[in-house]
Amino acid sequence: MSEQLHDSEQGTDPQGDHKAERHKKAMQKQKAKVDASIAAASTERGVAVLLTGNGKGKSSSAFGMVLRALGYGQKVGVVQFIKGAQLSGEELYLKNQCPQVELHQMGTGFTWNTQDRSADIAAAEATWQHASRMLADPGYDLVVLDELTYMLGYQYLDEARVLQAIAQRPSEQSVIVTGRGGGTALQELMDTVSEVKDLKHAFKAGIKARQGVDY
Amino acid sequence: MSEQLHDSEQGTDPQGDHKAERHKKAMQKQKAKVDASIAAASTERGVAVLLTGNGKGKSSSAFGMVLRALGYGQKVGVVQFIKGAQLSGEELYLKNQCPQVELHQMGTGFTWNTQDRSADIAAAEATWQHASRMLADPGYDLVVLDELTYMLGYQYLDEARVLQAIAQRPSEQSVIVTGRGGGTALQELMDTVSEVKDLKHAFKAGIKARQGVDY
């Protein structure tokens, strides 16, 4: 079952028997809660997940779900809206090891590198065509729209059109959107919204971005 | 470069020229900021990442980083401290497609299912042996300790011993710990800490956990 159901407890009783008994009761209560939640969740359909916030872990989480979907032999499409010049580890892996995953990248580099708004808009539009096609195709079980939120924030793509495509996708298809911000309309549309908050970052402590973890 | 560097802006000026010029300036500023950050980060070593909080995306983020590491042909070890009865998608994928990844699972099911503290402690200890061995072996580029925090929260494992093993690992090795909580000592030790906050969850709206996304 899913990770949102864990609750942590801090035991302080040094007596083993009491601890074991208290533990058992707490676990029974927890199990009852989980069982009730599972019973209450009755709608079976694709889910729309937004991973937002300023912390590390949004895109990597999306790629972890790609790996999950591949574990079941699902058909996966990935569209990346902001891309550095070099291929990162997950892209190398998908290109070399998972030719069955359809991967499209905007390929203009970071938008603050190009500094050319009209060229960025054209690139965003061309990239959106892949996303739009996938979102209309029930053959895809999972569609990842990595860093899409920036295209909305910079107004490179029309918000209404993007939201409509997500809302009207096939009912069995799941979609994951990543990136900071994204706006309230997007948050309202998505089924699950996680905000990844940066409590601490190695980069700020002078540690270089690490191959295999950060890119 | 890494995802924590993006900043979103909401443009409102309808005049294209002004917009383009303002955009260019904003992007130049952003690029200068990013370049300065990159120049300031000079320490090259493995990083310790904690993915905590109550939201969806912690374990999947860790598995996304596994995929990143595999893209560079790195050696990866994964130890999972809480496990449901069924293999989830990422486990199926790693077992079937990535035999080079060493994967160990506690295999007792959820701790609130067993309701037996001493059996859980024994299982946690046995599982920790794998983690401990990997954390002492410079052959591993990346070690994932999935849901380790619960073992600390339930006091199944000794915190000092766990923190010491993480702190004294080979300098080139990266480690990722996932799970709610974990305690302040763990947070202090880790280089990067992301809190994944649950702003909204499909499960709470009665939508069943989805194969390929939630498990």
Side-chain angles (χ1 to χ4, degrees):
Chain A
M1 206 25 66
S2 53
E3 60 206 67
Q4 82 277 11
L5 299 169
H6 299 310
D7 264 323
S8 154
E9 64 157 12
Q10 291 281 353
T12 51
D13 187 342
Q15 290 173 274
D17 282 359
H18 282 147
K19 204 165 190 170
E21 190 49 40
R22 207 184 49 182
H23 176 83
K24 192 175 173 180
K25 279 190 185 150
M27 292 301 104
Q28 282 171 339
K29 202 172 144 194
Q30 186 70 23
K31 181 170 172 12
K33 213 165 93 181
V34 171
D35 288 348
S37 300
I38 293 170
S42 56
T43 307
E44 183 99 40
R45 65 164 172 81
V47 291
V49 178
L50 172 63
L51 297 154
T52 186
N54 67 347
K56 172 180 175 50
K58 299 182 290 293
S59 292
S60 54
S61 185
F63 283 98
M65 292 183 233
V66 167
L67 202 138
R68 257 179 207 162
L70 291 175
Y72 296 110
Q74 294 183 359
K75 183 167 165 66
V76 179
V78 177
V79 182
Q80 296 187 289
F81 285 91
I82 293 194
K83 261 301 305 150
Q86 286 186 302
L87 283 184
S88 60
E90 66 272 27
E91 296 151 21
L92 284 169
Y93 187 80
L94 292 181
K95 286 204 175 208
N96 297 329
Q97 309 292 327
C98 304
Q100 75 273 31
V101 173
E102 195 181 336
L103 173 64
H104 293 282
Q105 303 177 316
M106 204 161 99
T108 52
F110 284 120
T111 188
W112 52 77
N113 281 340
T114 66
Q115 297 168 18
D116 179 344
R117 184 170 168 85
S118 60
D120 282 348
I121 288 174
E125 278 293 341
T127 309
W128 173 251
Q129 296 312 309
H130 296 293
S132 173
R133 173 177 47 76
M134 290 174 182
L135 290 170
D137 181 350
Y140 289 90
D141 298 291
L142 176 63
V143 176
V144 173
L145 306 174
D146 192 30
E147 315 212 81
L148 173 67
T149 59
Y150 303 106
M151 304 301 105
L152 301 175
Y154 292 132
Q155 299 187 320
Y156 289 173
L157 294 177
D158 179 64
E159 185 184 40
R161 195 168 41 130
V162 167
L163 296 192
Q164 193 180 39
I166 293 173
Q168 294 180 351
R169 73 189 194 282
S171 67
E172 296 301 307
Q173 185 183 89
S174 293
V175 61
I176 302 167
V177 173
T178 77
R180 290 186 184 198
T184 50
L186 180 66
Q187 292 208 8
E188 272 166 34
L189 174 63
M190 306 302 274
D191 300 304
T192 295
V193 180
S194 287
E195 182 195 3
V196 184
K197 283 184 67 175
D198 189 15
L199 298 189
K200 196 174 174 185
H201 204 293
F203 201 68
K204 291 177 186 164
I207 301 166
K208 277 192 177 177
R210 188 69 174 171
Q211 196 182 67
V213 174
D214 293 307
Y215 62 93
Chain B
M1 204 30 61
S2 52
E3 61 207 66
Q4 81 277 12
L5 298 168
H6 300 309
D7 264 323
S8 154
E9 64 158 11
Q10 291 281 352
T12 51
D13 187 343
Q15 292 173 272
D17 282 0
H18 282 146
K19 205 165 189 169
E21 190 48 40
R22 207 187 47 182
H23 177 83
K24 192 174 173 180
K25 279 190 184 152
M27 292 300 105
Q28 282 171 338
K29 202 172 143 192
Q30 185 70 22
K31 181 172 172 9
K33 214 165 92 180
V34 172
D35 289 349
S37 301
I38 292 169
S42 55
T43 307
E44 184 98 61
R45 64 163 173 82
V47 291
V49 178
L50 172 63
L51 298 154
T52 188
N54 67 347
K56 172 180 174 52
K58 299 183 290 293
S59 292
S60 54
S61 185
F63 283 98
M65 293 183 230
V66 167
L67 202 139
R68 260 181 204 160
L70 292 175
Y72 296 110
Q74 294 184 359
K75 183 167 166 65
V76 179
V78 178
V79 182
Q80 296 187 289
F81 284 91
I82 293 195
K83 261 299 306 150
Q86 285 186 302
L87 283 184
S88 59
E90 65 272 30
E91 296 151 19
L92 284 170
Y93 186 81
L94 292 181
K95 287 205 174 208
N96 297 331
Q97 309 293 327
C98 303
Q100 74 274 30
V101 173
E102 195 181 334
L103 173 65
H104 294 283
Q105 304 177 317
M106 204 160 100
T108 53
F110 284 118
T111 188
W112 51 77
N113 281 339
T114 67
Q115 298 167 15
D116 179 342
R117 184 170 168 83
S118 60
D120 282 349
I121 289 174
E125 278 292 340
T127 310
W128 173 251
Q129 296 314 308
H130 296 294
S132 173
R133 173 177 46 78
M134 290 174 181
L135 290 169
D137 182 349
Y140 290 89
D141 299 291
L142 176 64
V143 176
V144 173
L145 305 175
D146 191 30
E147 316 211 79
L148 173 66
T149 60
Y150 304 106
M151 303 301 105
L152 301 174
Y154 291 133
Q155 300 186 321
Y156 289 173
L157 294 177
D158 179 65
E159 185 185 42
R161 197 168 38 132
V162 167
L163 298 192
Q164 192 180 38
I166 293 172
Q168 294 180 350
R169 75 191 193 281
S171 67
E172 296 301 308
Q173 185 183 90
S174 293
V175 60
I176 302 167
V177 173
T178 77
R180 292 186 183 196
T184 50
L186 180 65
Q187 292 208 9
E188 273 166 32
L189 174 63
M190 307 302 274
D191 301 305
T192 296
V193 179
S194 288
E195 182 194 2
V196 184
K197 282 183 68 176
D198 189 16
L199 297 188
K200 195 175 176 184
H201 203 293
F203 200 69
K204 292 177 186 163
I207 300 166
K208 277 193 178 177
R210 188 70 174 170
Q211 196 182 67
V213 173
D214 292 309
Y215 62 94

